[in-house]
Amino acid sequence: MLKSAPAYSFDLPGSGNGKHIIILGGGLAGMASAYELTKLGYKCTILEARDRAGGRCWSVRNGSTNQETGRPAITAKFDDGLYFNAGPSRIPHHHELTLHYCKELGVPIQVYNNVNEGAYYFAEGKGPLSNKKIRAREVHNDVRGYMAELLSKSIDNGALDAALTKEDTQKVLEYLAAEGGLDIDKLYKASARRGYAESPGAGNLPGKIGEAHKLADFIQSGLLDPDFYNVAEYTYELQMTMFQAVGGMDMIAKALQKQVSASLKLGAEVTNITNLSEGVRVTYKDAVGEHQLQGDICICTIPLPVLSNINNNFSGEVSRAIDYITYNQTGKIGLQFKRRFWEEDDHIYGGITHTNNDLTQIFYPSYDYLGKKGILIGYYNFNEKAQRTGELSYADREKLALEKGRLIHPQYDAEFERSFSVSWHKTRYNMGGWAVYSGETRKNQYPALLKPDGNVYFAGEHLTYLNAWMAGAFESARSVVSSIHGRVTGQQLVYPTTK
Amino acid sequence: MLKSAPAYSFDLPGSGNGKHIIILGGGLAGMASAYELTKLGYKCTILEARDRAGGRCWSVRNGSTNQETGRPAITAKFDDGLYFNAGPSRIPHHHELTLHYCKELGVPIQVYNNVNEGAYYFAEGKGPLSNKKIRAREVHNDVRGYMAELLSKSIDNGALDAALTKEDTQKVLEYLAAEGGLDIDKLYKASARRGYAESPGAGNLPGKIGEAHKLADFIQSGLLDPDFYNVAEYTYELQMTMFQAVGGMDMIAKALQKQVSASLKLGAEVTNITNLSEGVRVTYKDAVGEHQLQGDICICTIPLPVLSNINNNFSGEVSRAIDYITYNQTGKIGLQFKRRFWEEDDHIYGGITHTNNDLTQIFYPSYDYLGKKGILIGYYNFNEKAQRTGELSYADREKLALEKGRLIHPQYDAEFERSFSVSWHKTRYNMGGWAVYSGETRKNQYPALLKPDGNVYFAGEHLTYLNAWMAGAFESARSVVSSIHGRVTGQQLVYPTTK
């Protein structure tokens, strides 16, 4: 059984007595730190380079702007009420701290429908199933059927005689028949689970079960390749139940911002971080000019690829960690359509279509079901694919999304209205999606950032084992607040402080 | 690819010219028939025995009443805003007609979270895993892992040499490694997919993966038994995406009722149905006394076990069909709790816990996540288990639900407030859950009810291949409206009329 994660309550004993904490970065980690520290009696100043708070917890709506390096700033032109989550779009049910903050801050949540058997797999230009839209239920149930059939056959051939008792073997055979939907000869011949060629209905309409795809066809079209077949759905972080904030994930950021607004300076870009023998001095520039700010302690949540270019007097060990820990490349495009054709025509409500091309994934919105218009995430890709896509101009990214997307949804041609794309590794003040550790960097660089460098503490998803997740930001915030408060009040506070 | 089901539009040519259609039963089939017939220019009268419309499409709230045979009527005492769906609680995403009516009638929908890897399997008193709460993710990923390992072993032993090419075999092995989460020796040793014994967090908390249960333990505790291991999740009807109406499934019935209120007589119990040479005569009794009503055509949607006891002059073939077609036994209990402990303590948000005892299933609500109070469906059982439970007094059903339920959720003791149970096969005006056909009754009895007996037509989920589903009621309504309108206007109308 799962051991209880940190309990929700975070009532540390003792007071910060007005000590001044300068927090660099107004994302979730920075704002959550300020929120908790303020409760404990600290004075906080959050310096946020952008004109908005929230960092990667950002939903793109009409009027949202972004700045990628070496390009003009762009502004989203979407219809009112429509949005897409450019950053985090999913909350796993076991990320209790994220759900806790939703509850504490009054942010309503709704199910994010990550698993949808009605969405498609699409293998562009590969094998016998090339360029066919195949429902996830067809892939999953056909493959499950074939594998159950293969294992049943092996067992009948005596291949497992040593592994299981005779009685247990019989039970496994019964299980396989049910699991795979096998016939009485232990053969997989398709079942209603994979869907119907003709739907069942009233009167004389019993329905007609679709014909199974061949196992060899799946294999040759690459649908069983580990990077295509969606085992991601099995992972702990992507299993249902998943949630999203109603109205856009940045409702969480906005709710936090409301709590810490007195401490928050927007448009304040940090240019220098200097540890002093007593306290810390931070230089930042805003629309007016350059400023210096002195505090007792600093929490730096700035993403490492950005921090790497900010002047500082950190130790060599810390500087090396900042330079060596890598971030991934990732991007999304939001495509606004006149009509929710994926629901009306394709009967896809939420979930993900998987492709082998540069789109990688199409996300269908988990809100406004049966509504009029909607925004699809036309691609959500990573690494080399995100690298290639990110190099394109905004217009060419849109072109790519439309050209590849219309292979799956020809309705794109008639229904498309507008796009907005974000390449996180090219986005100013981010320069990466999230921290990606190798065994080596986790071992040799990560520990340097877990302890303070003088009076500077580090926090963010990159200082956790919950990389990419909002929960990482929240857990890290609580962890660093525990450390600072322990130091200031002379207590031994071990994070997580309550179980 | 799925062929298009009946398109939403239902604009039949020609007019009913005020012909009078008497509709027996104000459930979804009866009301949808009246709704469509009224649009076509018919005069409709719906006779509904109960003081409410909707039939089985019924959400139990504060003040809801029910009458089981041989017992006093009972009234639900739940807090305002809380409900449970005593009847249908799920809409498959491919039941387009149900979703269509939600859209046309303005009923908002939300995801019904049928798949939740965080819910439990619970084998009471059986084998090594007896009385342990096992997360669905543990069962699913452990079993998937072991099966992938077994098949990989068999392949290595050459058991499948004939079945696949060497290249395809290699691909299958790679797939199995990914699918099962196997190690490099092709062994399943548990993976993060099954959850953590200690959750990953910030700083020095990498998390600790839980230990896999043994395959033999699963087998001996009956967890692989086809009637326990949840292959139901794979079925076409229970695959995600699933929906529910916001605020209770009977919002659909209420929206229909609003449309047909002028035609609807509540509290009107049919006692006699007589085919005349011209038209039909229906006798019913209400609070005032007995009445006769004459019409041109009758649509009878009364459930067969009830219809079987109503006087009529149907043909022998029709009477036999009414008597021979069986309905299932099924029941649910709603349990109101002071606190959503399943969310707060167990981190279960929606979905289903499966048991091998008489509870069969516990349904967690898919609404009001993170709210204060909530209603669990404490059991939802069928057949013998529903038979046994149905025999119990209301108090003893509650006792059973609490005694068995607290084995899984000991919080029941402190948090329980009130219950309300429904045994559908004992409920007046239903006397069964839904029609369950054998091959024999489908072949020999079903066809008799698909054609009119004189001027009486039959409709309802029982006259479809969508038994138990609201979609059956809607498809049947459209089918019978097509038949009647074709006859009245002298047209050949073949249901489904549009593709």
Side-chain angles (χ1 to χ4, degrees):
Chain A
M1 227 203 95
L2 187 68
K3 206 166 142 189
S4 192
Y8 300 154
S9 66
F10 191 63
D11 304 315
L12 304 183
S15 165
N17 282 321
K19 290 252 183 208
H20 185 201
I21 316 291
I22 303 174
I23 298 169
L24 311 184
L28 295 185
M31 290 197 291
S33 297
Y35 176 59
E36 296 297 349
L37 285 166
T38 304
K39 286 189 204 168
L40 289 168
Y42 293 85
K43 174 184 181 242
C44 294
T45 305
I46 308 172
L47 300 176
E48 166 55 47
R50 289 193 176 95
D51 288 326
R52 64 164 182 85
R56 284 163 284 181
C57 180
W58 180 44
S59 307
V60 176
R61 299 181 184 77
N62 195 38
S64 296
T65 61
N66 196 39
Q67 172 79 67
E68 296 189 13
T69 53
R71 302 180 184 223
I74 49 163
T75 302
K77 291 195 177 72
F78 289 138
D79 282 22
D80 285 343
L82 297 180
Y83 71 87
F84 77 98
N85 292 314
S89 66
R90 299 179 278 202
I91 306 171
H93 63 275
H94 48 76
H95 280 183
E96 297 161 56
L97 202 49
T98 306
L99 292 175
H100 159 70
Y101 278 116
C102 289
K103 192 167 180 174
E104 181 167 326
L105 300 168
V107 178
I109 59 166
Q110 62 191 177
V111 166
Y112 180 89
N113 193 37
N114 198 49
V115 171
N116 178 359
E117 294 290 317
Y120 296 122
Y121 282 85
F122 188 82
E124 187 188 344
K126 185 160 185 193
L129 301 174
S130 167
N131 290 22
K132 285 193 203 308
K133 294 186 278 195
I134 306 180
R135 300 273 185 187
R137 61 173 150 265
E138 300 176 37
V139 180
H140 294 160
N141 288 298
D142 283 354
V143 173
R144 198 145 47 204
Y146 288 124
M147 293 301 140
E149 178 185 315
L150 286 175
L151 184 51
S152 295
K153 262 186 209 160
S154 306
I155 291 174
D156 284 348
N157 292 346
L160 296 177
D161 282 353
L164 289 169
T165 68
K166 199 166 170 179
E167 291 73 23
D168 285 0
T169 302
Q170 190 52 40
K171 289 284 185 189
V172 167
L173 284 171
E174 284 166 24
Y175 158 80
L176 288 170
E179 171 77 3
L182 306 185
D183 68 13
I184 53 163
D185 299 318
K186 296 177 198 149
L187 297 175
Y188 177 70
K189 297 270 184 58
S191 80
R193 295 174 187 173
R194 71 184 306 289
Y196 287 84
E198 290 170 20
S199 295
N204 288 313
L205 297 174
K208 200 176 145 189
I209 292 172
E211 209 174 314
H213 301 294
K214 294 194 183 72
L215 176 58
D217 290 357
F218 281 122
I219 294 171
Q220 283 152 39
S221 287
L223 278 151
L224 296 201
D225 293 356
D227 61 345
F228 191 7
Y229 186 84
N230 186 28
V231 289
E233 247 170 53
Y234 301 156
T235 59
Y236 187 51
E237 285 76 16
L238 295 175
Q239 290 167 6
M240 292 295 283
T241 305
M242 303 206 76
F243 289 107
Q244 64 185 0
V246 173
M249 204 62 111
D250 64 358
M251 290 300 165
I252 299 173
K254 286 175 195 292
L256 257 180
Q257 183 175 355
K258 215 169 143 186
Q259 298 291 330
V260 301
S261 58
S263 310
L264 181 65
K265 280 190 205 297
L266 295 176
E269 185 182 330
V270 173
T271 53
N272 191 301
I273 308 163
T274 304
N275 257 307
L276 308 174
S277 54
E278 296 275 317
V280 62
R281 187 178 62 232
V282 175
T283 310
Y284 67 93
K285 57 181 185 192
D286 61 16
V288 180
E290 200 165 76
H291 310 267
Q292 286 199 347
L293 190 66
Q294 208 156 318
D296 297 299
I297 286 174
C298 173
I299 299 175
C300 177
T301 74
I302 296 172
L304 301 183
V306 178
L307 183 57
S308 175
N309 291 305
I310 293 174
N311 295 319
N312 63 66
N313 65 344
F314 296 151
S315 71
E317 186 192 30
V318 163
S319 295
R320 262 193 309 280
I322 293 168
D323 287 344
Y324 280 33
I325 295 168
T326 55
Y327 275 54
N328 78 341
Q329 298 162 317
T330 184
K332 285 182 183 171
I333 193 168
L335 305 173
Q336 178 178 316
F337 291 99
K338 277 182 221 140
R339 186 171 74 81
R340 296 170 80 93
F341 55 83
W342 55 94
E343 296 179 356
E344 294 175 8
D345 306 345
D346 293 88
H347 320 126
I348 296 174
Y349 300 87
I352 303 169
T353 278
H354 296 270
T355 79
N356 64 344
N357 60 33
D358 278 359
L359 302 183
T360 309
Q361 312 174 83
I362 297 174
F363 276 33
Y364 305 95
S366 281
Y367 69 97
D368 275 7
Y369 299 114
L370 305 183
K372 192 171 156 39
K373 293 188 171 187
I375 296 179
L376 294 188
I377 294 180
Y379 61 72
Y380 178 24
N381 52 21
F382 312 99
N383 310 322
E384 297 77 14
K385 291 178 178 182
Q387 167 76 31
R388 277 198 295 275
T389 314
E391 290 305 320
L392 301 176
S393 69
Y394 294 121
D396 283 346
R397 290 181 196 166
E398 175 182 298
K399 202 174 152 203
L400 173 85
L402 294 178
E403 278 182 5
K404 297 290 185 190
R406 71 161 63 92
L407 298 174
I408 300 167
H409 295 294
Q411 301 100 322
Y412 271 32
D413 291 343
E415 311 295 352
F416 174 69
E417 293 188 321
R418 283 179 289 284
S419 80
F420 186 92
S421 64
V422 181
S423 182
W424 282 105
H425 55 285
K426 299 180 81 74
T427 291
R428 200 173 174 201
Y429 306 128
N430 288 99
M431 306 307 289
W434 55 82
V436 176
Y437 285 94
S438 62
E440 194 275 331
T441 54
R442 185 68 86 175
K443 181 160 167 261
N444 296 327
Q445 267 70 49
Y446 180 66
L449 300 180
L450 295 185
K451 45 188 194 222
D453 184 337
N455 300 311
V456 178
Y457 289 72
F458 300 93
E461 58 82 18
H462 51 294
L463 295 171
T464 72
Y465 285 85
L466 296 161
N467 301 120
W469 296 99
M470 294 189 292
F474 290 127
E475 296 281 356
S476 177
R478 286 198 168 188
S479 174
V480 81
V481 168
S482 296
S483 302
I484 290 170
H485 192 58
R487 173 163 152 189
V488 168
T489 60
Q491 305 175 78
Q492 267 286 56
L493 294 177
V494 180
Y495 163 84
T497 40
T498 45
K499 278 279 183 191
Chain B
M1 228 204 97
L2 187 69
K3 205 166 142 188
S4 192
Y8 300 155
S9 66
F10 191 65
D11 304 315
L12 304 183
S15 165
N17 283 321
K19 290 252 182 208
H20 184 199
I21 316 290
I22 302 175
I23 298 169
L24 312 184
L28 295 186
M31 291 197 289
S33 297
Y35 175 61
E36 296 297 348
L37 285 166
T38 304
K39 286 189 203 167
L40 289 168
Y42 293 86
K43 172 182 183 252
C44 295
T45 305
I46 308 172
L47 300 175
E48 167 54 48
R50 288 192 176 97
D51 288 326
R52 64 165 181 85
R56 285 162 284 181
C57 180
W58 180 44
S59 307
V60 176
R61 299 179 185 78
N62 195 38
S64 297
T65 61
N66 197 38
Q67 172 78 68
E68 296 190 14
T69 54
R71 300 181 185 222
I74 49 163
T75 302
K77 291 193 177 72
F78 288 139
D79 282 20
D80 284 344
L82 297 180
Y83 70 88
F84 78 98
N85 292 315
S89 66
R90 299 178 278 204
I91 307 171
H93 63 274
H94 47 77
H95 281 184
E96 297 161 59
L97 202 49
T98 306
L99 292 175
H100 159 70
Y101 278 115
C102 288
K103 192 167 180 173
E104 181 168 326
L105 301 168
V107 178
I109 59 166
Q110 62 191 175
V111 167
Y112 180 88
N113 194 36
N114 198 49
V115 172
N116 179 358
E117 293 291 316
Y120 296 121
Y121 282 85
F122 187 82
E124 187 189 344
K126 188 163 182 189
L129 300 174
S130 168
N131 291 23
K132 286 193 203 307
K133 295 186 278 194
I134 306 180
R135 300 271 185 189
R137 61 173 150 263
E138 298 176 39
V139 180
H140 294 159
N141 288 299
D142 283 353
V143 173
R144 199 144 48 205
Y146 288 123
M147 294 301 140
E149 176 185 315
L150 287 174
L151 184 51
S152 295
K153 261 186 209 162
S154 306
I155 292 174
D156 283 348
N157 293 346
L160 296 177
D161 282 354
L164 289 170
T165 69
K166 199 166 170 178
E167 290 74 22
D168 285 1
T169 302
Q170 190 51 41
K171 289 284 185 190
V172 167
L173 284 171
E174 284 165 23
Y175 158 80
L176 289 170
E179 172 76 4
L182 307 185
D183 67 14
I184 53 163
D185 297 319
K186 297 177 197 150
L187 298 175
Y188 177 69
K189 298 270 183 59
S191 80
R193 295 174 186 173
R194 70 184 306 288
Y196 287 83
E198 289 170 20
S199 295
N204 287 312
L205 297 174
K208 200 177 146 189
I209 292 172
E211 209 174 313
H213 300 296
K214 294 194 181 73
L215 176 57
D217 290 356
F218 282 123
I219 295 171
Q220 283 152 39
S221 288
L223 278 153
L224 295 201
D225 292 356
D227 60 346
F228 191 6
Y229 187 83
N230 186 29
V231 290
E233 248 171 52
Y234 301 156
T235 60
Y236 187 50
E237 286 77 15
L238 295 176
Q239 289 166 7
M240 292 295 282
T241 306
M242 303 206 78
F243 289 108
Q244 65 184 0
V246 174
M249 203 62 110
D250 64 357
M251 290 299 164
I252 299 174
K254 287 175 196 290
L256 257 180
Q257 182 175 355
K258 215 169 145 186
Q259 298 292 329
V260 300
S261 58
S263 311
L264 181 65
K265 280 190 205 299
L266 294 176
E269 184 181 330
V270 173
T271 55
N272 191 300
I273 308 163
T274 304
N275 256 307
L276 309 173
S277 53
E278 296 276 316
V280 63
R281 187 179 62 233
V282 175
T283 312
Y284 67 93
K285 57 180 186 193
D286 61 14
V288 179
E290 198 165 78
H291 310 266
Q292 286 199 348
L293 190 66
Q294 209 156 316
D296 297 299
I297 285 173
C298 174
I299 299 175
C300 178
T301 73
I302 296 172
L304 302 183
V306 177
L307 183 57
S308 174
N309 291 305
I310 294 174
N311 294 319
N312 63 66
N313 66 344
F314 296 151
S315 71
E317 185 192 32
V318 163
S319 293
R320 263 193 309 281
I322 292 168
D323 288 344
Y324 281 32
I325 294 168
T326 55
Y327 275 53
N328 77 341
Q329 299 162 315
T330 185
K332 284 181 185 173
I333 191 166
L335 304 173
Q336 178 179 315
F337 291 99
K338 278 182 222 143
R339 184 170 77 81
R340 295 170 82 92
F341 55 83
W342 56 92
E343 297 180 355
E344 294 175 9
D345 306 345
D346 293 88
H347 320 127
I348 296 174
Y349 301 87
I352 302 169
T353 278
H354 297 270
T355 79
N356 64 344
N357 60 32
D358 277 1
L359 301 183
T360 308
Q361 311 175 82
I362 296 173
F363 276 33
Y364 305 94
S366 281
Y367 69 97
D368 275 5
Y369 298 114
L370 304 185
K372 191 172 155 39
K373 291 187 172 189
I375 296 179
L376 294 189
I377 294 179
Y379 60 73
Y380 177 25
N381 52 20
F382 313 99
N383 309 323
E384 298 77 13
K385 291 178 178 181
Q387 168 76 30
R388 276 198 296 272
T389 315
E391 291 305 319
L392 301 176
S393 68
Y394 294 121
D396 282 347
R397 290 181 196 165
E398 175 183 297
K399 202 174 153 203
L400 173 84
L402 294 178
E403 277 183 6
K404 298 288 186 192
R406 72 160 62 92
L407 297 174
I408 300 168
H409 294 294
Q411 301 99 322
Y412 272 32
D413 290 344
E415 311 294 352
F416 174 69
E417 293 189 320
R418 282 179 290 284
S419 80
F420 187 92
S421 64
V422 181
S423 182
W424 282 106
H425 55 286
K426 301 180 80 75
T427 291
R428 199 173 175 201
Y429 306 128
N430 288 99
M431 305 307 289
W434 55 84
V436 177
Y437 285 94
S438 63
E440 194 275 330
T441 54
R442 186 69 86 175
K443 181 160 168 261
N444 297 325
Q445 269 69 50
Y446 180 68
L449 301 179
L450 295 185
K451 45 189 193 217
D453 184 338
N455 300 311
V456 178
Y457 289 71
F458 300 93
E461 58 82 18
H462 51 294
L463 295 170
T464 72
Y465 286 85
L466 296 160
N467 300 120
W469 295 101
M470 294 190 290
F474 290 127
E475 295 281 355
S476 178
R478 287 198 167 186
S479 173
V480 81
V481 168
S482 296
S483 301
I484 290 170
H485 192 59
R487 174 162 151 189
V488 167
T489 59
Q491 304 176 80
Q492 269 285 57
L493 293 178
V494 181
Y495 163 84
T497 41
T498 45
K499 279 281 183 191

